[in-house]
Amino acid sequence: MSDSQETHILWDCFHWHEFKYRHLDGLPLTFLQLQFVVIFCVTQALHLCIFKPLGLPPLVSQLIAGLFLGPNSFLNKKGGIYAKMNDALFPQRSAYIWEAVSAMGYALSLYIIALKMDFGNLLRSGRKAYTIGLLSLVIPFLFCLGVHYMLKTTGFFHNNQTEEKEIFIIATNIPLTHFAVIACLLNDLGLLTSELGRLALSSSLVANILVIVLGVAQKMQLTQTELSRDAFLQTLGPIGLILGGVFILRPLMCWMIKQTPKDRPVKDSYVLLVFLFTLLWAVASDQCHEFVLMGLFIIGAVVPDGPPLGSAVVDKFDTFISGMLQPFFITTGVMRANISAIFHGKIELIITDILVAVLSFICKIIVCLLWGLSSKMATSDATALGLILSAKGILDVGGFTMLKAADLITEESLSVLMLWTIIVSVIVPVTVKQLYHPLRKYAGYRRRDIMHCKPYSELRILTCIYRPDNVAAITNFLEICGSTKGNPMATYALHLLKLVGRTQPVFISHDLQKKKSSNYSYSEEVVWALDRFKRSYTKDALSVHVFTSVCPTKSMHEDICTLALDKLTSLIILPFHRKLGIDGSIESEDHDWRALNISVFERSPCSVAILIDRGRRDGYPTIMPTLTSISVEASKTKFSVSVIFIGGKDDQEALALAKRMARGSRVKVHVVRLCVAGEENHLDPIDLFLLRELKHCTVFNQQFTYVEKTVKEGADSANWLKSVMGEYDLIIVGRRYNMDCTQTLGLKEWSEVEELGVLGDLLASPEYCAGTSVLVVQHQRQWM
């Protein structure tokens, strides 16, 4: 085939108005796939190229894509190539197909949203959440009704009952607060585990439940006067679906969980059975003359959230629903809006729509602001809370689309509401980022480090646990620290779990937990192991408090830093993101944990350290003979610790920790100063003072030894360190991030884990194994 023939055929395909009618009836699936591809490409291009660099969530890209692809886009000039292509991709003859698919996307999105919701948190919400949840919904709701009444009494509608009813519907829908929208926004902003984020989530859940209750009550009121069979089904049908879900399906699903062995996934047959119940309840909802959405929401709500069942269902369907169907629905929802109708519609109606939307938005912010001021909350934080609770998203798009489909609002009102959704979706995240800075509370106004702890005062340490094997590493480290009555220590162990299959993060204090619950199983083994370890010490020597945090990994630093701040800890211990084998090889690596470690380094309100555990003796992955029992023989174990000192605040903090360890009779500390010939006195005055004090201590304290090792460059330091690996149980080094010196010259280019610093990365490499653990210490960063 010649090039001219190929060009001719290709050009014929661009005669869109002929091509679509010739092939649409025979290729509906092809057109649907093409529509999916176009929407996906446009939304991703807008997000990655424009909105993501501006810090806007993916929702904005999906909404804006609907404007570009809509039949009334400003690009759709009549007769233009863009108009022809758009008419070919989304012809009116195929509207019933993509509208049905988008409706299915909305229904399944609501199902996934209900699956991830934890309605038990409603009972655990505090007075603040109840107060702001009710006020932020009821006051704007009444205010909008007041605006509607004022317009009605002044004769603004000119006795037009249709317009009056339309404004009433808009006034009762625009102030609504949706839990799923708030959760999605907070997750995109990385504020899900922040103090403000938790308050906003709890408040929106309270408001959401109130809306559902009012909706059911209104439905029953509208049908109570009718005696027909349909009225009977509409009244009792939803109640029957709810009772059947709670008292039949919920116990059955709990039985499925009990049949699943601990730490094992549920059977695929159970997941499919749950989805079968979902379809059954959707059909039953339709037979009761209710929206299919009700049946899907009920099933999603009764499925036990989180692992193992709820998370398994979410894992099966969430990627396709949230990644494909949900963006498809949002984009096509905006495409239904006729933007040109705003410029050609009735001006009084359009102005009223805008007035109600803007006043509702302002009223909700003012309510939150006044409540915040009365609760002694920062003005900026209270304003940010109001903005978050005013956010719009997929549920608003779905609600407005359903109102238009039921002919309850006009085309111009739908266009105004869609544009308002876009405007709010842009304004809220940008403004919240400017107003709320969670890092402010971590600012180093006070010294929280080991160097400035009072002698023989209680040392408070926060230890983080990522994997079960981290428990052994933590107990090893605490044993080396050597707690005694005269050298007491308080340990706060935080077990971190990735949030799966639920929307709301969970934070559990096992000291306050009186009875066993489903959440307790998250950290049952960790609690048991640390409790056994604690019993080997007296209460005056060591106290251990265990917490569990279930949240997204990108928000875990909030829980770590907040707990460290609340408990006034001096040191945070983070596990290394790599799991190392007996021979030092890398068995596994989790980049989420690595990103978390970096985040904590950047935000920590106190000193922080990463522990690379290689302690192995008699085949056990620990310095101690067993993981959880402390025997008499173990209590007599001697430990050898080395501190590599070059200079700087990080090395000073490492030296302070080693001094604390040396107070125990079972730990011997070897301090090695790496120095360069001719630069022996080129040290900070504080470094010189500490070294003089250390030399003095070695005279009277046999637990200390001090030597100086002269090196010429980084290669000499590396060779010497390799030669002494294996002589110590633990080597402590300062992080010294981005600090260049002669002692490490030439080593930075070979770094793999840069956040450990040059020496830390060197000692963490597989070549430097020999059974020696490494602790990389960073001194508290003083910043405002």
Side-chain angles (χ1 to χ4, degrees), residues 57-59 109 112-118 121 177-194 196-206 208 326 385 387-396 428-429 499 501-505 551-552 554-555:
L59 172 67
S109 296
I112 290 295
I113 288 169
L115 267 173
K116 294 181 179 180
M117 291 177 69
D118 181 10
N121 275 348
T177 300
H178 298 293
F179 170 83
V181 173
I182 306 302
C184 184
L185 172 66
L186 291 172
N187 187 50
D188 290 332
L189 294 177
L191 300 177
L192 202 58
T193 57
S194 65
L196 185 69
R198 292 181 186 274
L199 178 59
L201 274 179
S202 299
S203 303
S204 63
L205 182 60
V206 171
N208 235 155
Q326 186 172 305
L385 177 62
L387 287 167
I388 291 172
L389 294 178
S390 303
K392 302 296 179 186
I394 179 175
L395 294 182
D396 300 282
V428 168
L499 184 69
R502 66 193 310 161
T503 302
Q504 285 181 287
C551 61
K554 67 178 182 180
S555 302

Side-chain angles (χ1 to χ4, degrees), residues 521-541:
S521 61
Y522 279 127
S523 304
E524 188 173 4
E525 294 179 355
V526 173
V527 174
W528 180 78
L530 292 175
D531 184 64
R532 289 291 301 272
F533 175 77
K534 179 179 66 174
R535 292 179 188 176
S536 64
Y537 292 86
T538 63
K539 293 182 179 180
D540 296 331

Side-chain angles (χ1 to χ4, degrees), residues 303-323:
V303 174
D305 64 300
L309 186 58
S311 58
V313 177
V314 171
D315 286 342
K316 289 287 185 182
F317 305 107
D318 192 34
T319 301
F320 177 67
I321 294 173
S322 301

Side-chain angles (χ1 to χ4, degrees), residues 12 33 44 98 166 266 362 409 485 546 591 627 632 634 728:
D12 282 344
Q33 292 172 338
Q44 291 299 310
W98 56 264
E166 181 176 355
V266 296
I362 295 174
I409 61 175
K485 187 176 181 180
V546 185
H591 292 284
L627 291 178
V632 176
Y728 307 105

